[in-house]
Amino acid sequence: METLAGLLGSALDLLLVLFAFGSIVFVHELGHFVAARWAGIHVTAFAIGWGPPIISWRRGVGLRRGSSAREAAEKARAANDADAVGMTEYRLSWFPLGGYVKMVGQDDLDPNATSAQPGGWQHAPPWKRMVVISAGVVMNLITAAALFVLVFTIGLRTQPPIIGGVVPGSPAAMAVAVNATSLGLDERGLRPGDRVLRVNGGNAEEFTQLMVEAAMSKRDEPVRLEVVRDGLDEVLRFEIVPKRGRTTGLLELGVAPALSNRIDTDDAADRPLLAEQLERLGYGDIDPGSAIVAVNGDPTPDGGAIKRALNANLGQRLTLTIQSPDGDQASIDVRPTARLLTDYLPDSNGKRVRVVQHLFGLTPVMRVHPSSVGDRAPLGGLEASDIFLRLGEVDFPALHEGIPEIQRATGQAIPLTVLRASGSPELDSAQSIPQIELRPDVDSEGRIGFLPDTTESVWGVVALPPSVLENPITGEVVAPAATSLIERPGAWIVAVDDRPVRTLSEVAVQLRAALAEAIESGSDGTVWITLRNPEAWLAGDDASERVSWTIPAESVARLRDLGGTTTLYELLALDEITLKGEGPLGALAHGFRRTKQVMAQTYLTINRLFHGTVRVEHLRGPVGIAHLGTQIADRGLVWILFFTALVSVNLAVINFLPLPIVDGGQFLFLLYEQIRGKAPPPIIQEISVAVGVLLIATLFIIVTFNDIVGLFGG
């Protein structure tokens, strides 16, 4: 029943998005229609959608299934009066993403079309036709501005312009403030908790602006930030040159939005699932909506304060003060674990990359996520927290090995063996935990129905290290240090320099402690690692071996950037603010400012396509817009209105590009005719239209293909 409800909800969201998009098209075509009537040009069809009409309405005929053209002609002949029925047929056609107004003597695909009828397109002077052509775009801009005003009257919930996280080695992490010397500041880079006041000279209102400004910048052009940092009286000024992200392909700074201190979810409908997940993780007394208000007695008003406390106390016991939605407080003890390093597994095609979470090549084993509950429960006999001992032909698969192995078995059954570790937060022994053999079917999309996760925080067993890894910042491809330590998958790390460890995250903490001198001196580091081989521990044998492991200096240096986390920190909701105008005039100012920004960004996107910093695969067609719209619909009515306004502005801009097949190209032809007193030569118009149709058709095919690939995770 929950799955059915989810499908019905998704279908309703899609219908809502299609209605919103249809409304934008209706407004656009209404602009053309009203202007044509004003100019004395006769309109024969006003259509929402393309293709044959589903239903139509015409004065004197009424509502009909399909077209009313034949019946209208018969009634006009019978009455011997052309005015007995309306000239305009109002249509709802089968393909809803589009629309048109058909005027007598006007054909976008045939510039030589003419009509001798009164009220034909060519009978109106060029300046009136320019008004008609422009009216659709004007109506879209007016509609967008009105929607933005409505949005900022109600209030838009979004993320504040606060830095929540900085990717180690990224442009944001390596940048030095322009005024660092005058402030006596030695530390480089942005920090979690930094509040951005201005970006590229404009006021920073939300975090999204940082992402957009980076993506829209020219290659090697810096993004200028003015930043307020706690403890400094003067504003920090940064000039950061973004770099292309391998996963997105867009220019990025390397920052993440801020988290709140609330253990919650953005979607209220997911709260029961969150409650079930908390129960499974051993925090059944914590209700969704609770907040971490202090760490070791120090107030934590936001996720940044919690993050700083976790980073500073890796491996140490901390006391968190949890405040329930009712105001009651309780304390719990946690021990922060280390986040692993992030690199890429190079791909032969040079485009798609696989992200690898590792510790110098020590890679955790894939498991079923413990939050796979409710209507998100795994299929094929799998259960939450199951650990994959074998998957297809791969023993102890890492995430980057397991997912492709499943995809290779698309449409078939795949044999696998799992360790049923539910109820074991950390594994000291695997002897009493059952091993289950399964053979689930892989569906047509290459899935067996589970949310993937890894064992980094629960187990010290590792997969086979990747032979090479690519640094996401420098692009350097190297063999990870663990290739000299781990010769086969399933090795269990039980001690670092004779200090016992239970999880791969604890290995990271102990490595940082053991190699503290090497980190400071920038030299190679050597530690002793105690291992249990898979044949031994699978057979119940406690035998182990102690191996010397040397880690190169460049790898040792990355231990400095290890961050701390806990399961509760991973459940914090994003920080939010409400963007709202102060009274009607404030909302009006917000609305017009946002309309102007979106117009500029749309034109800038097209410009950046030619510069190569934005690629065609980043563009969205009808399928992608509809899919994005259904995701936004889950966020509520205000976000649907905001999304509709964005699409309305984009439709206006795209329609007024100087391409012959769209309004902008036709406007240029009419401007030529107004100035020269005659239309451009037919051959020029015909060639221009043919080129325009080819360009738009090609772009439509490409973006639709990208939409579908993106939709199915290709």
Side-chain angles (χ1 to χ4, degrees):
M1 288 301 292
E2 291 180 351
T3 302
L4 178 59
L7 290 173
L8 289 175
S10 298
L12 184 60
D13 288 344
L14 179 59
L15 289 175
L16 196 59
V17 170
L18 292 178
F19 175 78
F21 193 86
S23 299
I24 296 170
V25 173
F26 171 79
V27 166
H28 181 91
E29 299 305 329
L30 182 63
H32 290 314
F33 176 74
V34 172
R37 296 288 292 267
W38 164 82
I41 300 171
H42 291 168
V43 178
T44 59
F46 182 116
I48 300 299
W50 295 90
I54 305 172
I55 57 173
S56 63
W57 183 90
R58 187 191 298 260
R59 178 176 56 82
V61 177
L63 191 65
R64 293 289 183 271
R65 187 171 65 179
S67 176
S68 62
R70 180 179 299 177
E71 186 176 351
E74 292 174 354
K75 283 196 173 187
R77 282 196 300 269
N80 196 25
D81 181 4
D83 294 331
V85 294
M87 175 174 289
T88 306
E89 180 178 83
Y90 302 88
R91 301 172 179 171
L92 177 62
S93 300
W94 280 103
F95 188 64
L97 299 179
Y100 60 91
V101 168
K102 185 171 180 59
M103 291 169 272
V104 173
Q106 191 265 344
D107 188 341
D108 291 342
L109 298 178
D110 183 7
N112 297 316
T114 59
S115 175
Q117 296 181 38
W121 175 254
Q122 287 76 20
H123 296 296
W127 69 269
K128 281 194 172 183
R129 282 180 274 157
M130 290 166 67
V131 172
V132 174
I133 286 295
S134 307
V137 167
V138 172
M139 284 292 287
N140 277 135
L141 292 178
I142 292 173
T143 301
L147 287 173
F148 279 135
V149 169
L150 180 57
V151 164
F152 293 114
T153 298
I154 300 171
L156 181 72
R157 298 290 294 173
T158 186
Q159 281 72 56
I162 297 175
I163 306 301
V166 180
V167 178
S170 67
M174 304 304 292
V176 177
V178 174
N179 55 342
T181 302
S182 64
L183 292 174
L185 190 66
D186 295 328
E187 183 181 2
R188 66 171 56 198
L190 294 172
R191 286 189 354 194
D194 285 350
R195 176 179 289 274
V196 180
L197 292 181
R198 297 176 66 81
V199 52
N200 284 341
N203 291 334
E205 296 182 323
E206 57 181 323
F207 183 83
T208 308
Q209 287 175 257
L210 309 184
M211 300 170 62
V212 171
E213 292 292 340
M216 292 295 105
S217 62
K218 292 181 180 178
R219 189 177 284 110
D220 299 324
E221 177 184 74
V223 174
R224 292 173 287 110
L225 302 178
E226 294 181 22
V227 173
V228 173
R229 178 173 295 173
D230 289 343
L232 293 179
D233 296 330
E234 189 175 327
V235 171
L236 289 171
R237 298 194 304 276
F238 288 90
E239 293 184 358
I240 306 175
V241 178
K243 290 187 178 180
R244 188 181 298 280
R246 285 296 305 273
T247 51
T248 66
L250 291 169
L251 295 178
E252 300 174 350
L253 296 175
V255 293
L259 295 175
S260 68
N261 64 353
R262 292 180 298 103
I263 302 166
D264 210 347
T265 174
D266 293 332
D267 188 350
D270 286 339
R271 281 192 167 187
L273 292 175
L274 177 59
E276 195 169 345
Q277 183 177 357
L278 287 166
E279 179 73 34
R280 186 178 292 273
L281 293 172
Y283 298 118
D285 294 335
I286 298 178
D287 296 324
S290 298
I292 303 174
V293 295
V295 176
N296 283 353
D298 296 325
T300 51
D302 52 44
I306 298 170
K307 180 64 174 175
R308 288 190 291 274
L310 297 178
N311 289 349
N313 295 278
L314 270 181
Q316 301 176 33
R317 190 165 296 280
L318 295 176
T319 299
L320 306 184
T321 302
I322 310 295
Q323 182 169 297
S324 73
D326 297 330
D328 297 331
Q329 292 190 353
S331 296
I332 61 171
D333 289 338
V334 299
R335 192 184 297 274
T337 59
R339 283 187 179 276
L340 302 185
L341 304 173
T342 300
D343 283 318
Y344 295 140
L345 191 67
D347 200 318
S348 59
N349 63 22
K351 289 186 178 181
R352 296 178 185 172
V353 295
R354 279 176 279 173
V355 176
V356 179
Q357 304 286 335
H358 69 103
L359 187 64
F360 312 133
L362 297 175
T363 311
V365 177
M366 188 170 79
R367 69 167 178 164
V368 178
H369 200 286
S371 67
S372 296
V373 294
D375 60 354
R376 299 176 185 175
L379 305 175
L382 290 168
E383 293 185 4
S385 299
D386 279 354
I387 298 171
F388 292 91
L389 300 185
R390 184 173 178 81
L391 179 61
E393 300 298 320
V394 183
D395 291 325
F396 302 95
L399 202 60
H400 67 271
E401 298 174 306
I403 299 302
E405 184 71 8
I406 294 171
Q407 292 172 340
R408 278 190 285 270
T410 296
Q412 308 171 41
I414 184 169
L416 57 88
T417 303
V418 296
L419 199 65
R420 184 133 294 168
S422 56
S424 302
E426 293 178 341
L427 298 173
D428 292 316
S429 170
Q431 307 316 313
S432 60
I433 301 177
Q435 296 182 29
I436 310 296
E437 293 186 2
L438 300 170
R439 196 177 179 84
D441 292 326
V442 183
D443 68 18
S444 59
E445 297 176 13
R447 301 180 302 192
I448 54 177
F450 69 94
L451 184 64
D453 188 30
T454 69
T455 59
E456 66 179 83
S457 62
V458 297
W459 209 13
V461 171
V462 295
L464 188 68
S467 58
V468 293
L469 285 172
E470 177 184 338
N471 186 295
I473 308 301
T474 65
E476 183 182 12
V477 177
V478 298
T483 54
S484 65
L485 177 69
I486 306 299
E487 298 179 352
R488 56 187 182 276
W492 191 335
I493 301 175
V494 295
V496 176
D497 273 358
D498 299 324
R499 295 186 182 92
V501 292
R502 292 180 295 176
T503 71
L504 193 53
S505 294
E506 288 186 11
V507 172
V509 173
Q510 292 301 331
L511 278 178
R512 190 162 76 165
L515 299 174
E517 291 185 8
I519 294 173
E520 292 303 317
S521 63
S523 60
D524 294 351
T526 301
V527 294
W528 288 95
I529 302 295
T530 305
L531 297 170
R532 295 172 61 190
N533 68 59
E535 291 81 7
W537 67 259
L538 282 171
D541 187 347
D542 290 336
S544 62
E545 58 178 329
R546 193 168 178 264
V547 181
S548 177
W549 185 30
T550 298
I551 304 172
E554 58 271 20
S555 295
V556 170
R558 298 185 70 182
L559 285 171
R560 191 190 306 271
D561 297 321
L562 286 179
T565 189
T566 69
T567 52
L568 286 179
Y569 179 80
E570 299 295 330
L571 298 178
L572 295 180
L574 287 172
D575 196 7
E576 286 190 332
I577 56 171
T578 299
L579 290 180
K580 187 175 182 179
E582 294 183 6
L585 291 180
L588 190 66
H590 262 294
F592 281 106
R593 185 167 60 250
R594 187 56 64 100
T595 304
K596 180 182 175 182
Q597 288 174 353
V598 176
M599 285 182 64
Q601 288 166 7
T602 306
Y603 280 117
L604 202 56
T605 300
I606 297 166
N607 177 274
R608 296 303 183 248
L609 279 170
F610 291 98
H611 281 84
T613 55
V614 175
R615 300 173 180 173
V616 173
E617 57 260 35
H618 298 131
L619 304 181
R620 290 290 173 264
V623 175
I625 291 172
H627 178 57
L628 178 62
T630 58
Q631 294 175 319
I632 287 176
D634 289 336
R635 303 183 67 176
L637 176 61
V638 173
W639 271 94
I640 294 174
L641 295 174
F642 184 74
F643 172 75
T644 305
L646 290 177
V647 175
S648 188
V649 173
N650 278 272
L651 181 63
V653 171
I654 298 301
N655 255 290
F656 222 62
L657 291 176
L659 296 174
I661 195 62
V662 295
D663 294 342
Q666 295 183 56
F667 185 90
L668 289 180
F669 285 151
L670 291 170
L671 182 62
Y672 178 95
E673 184 178 348
Q674 179 70 36
I675 295 171
R676 296 293 304 273
K678 60 179 180 180
I683 186 65
I684 298 297
Q685 295 189 57
E686 289 172 359
I687 293 174
S688 300
V689 168
V691 171
V693 169
L694 181 62
L695 284 173
I696 289 180
T698 302
L699 184 62
F700 178 84
I701 292 170
I702 292 173
V703 298
T704 302
F705 173 79
N706 289 336
D707 288 345
I708 293 172
V709 169
L711 189 63
F712 294 105

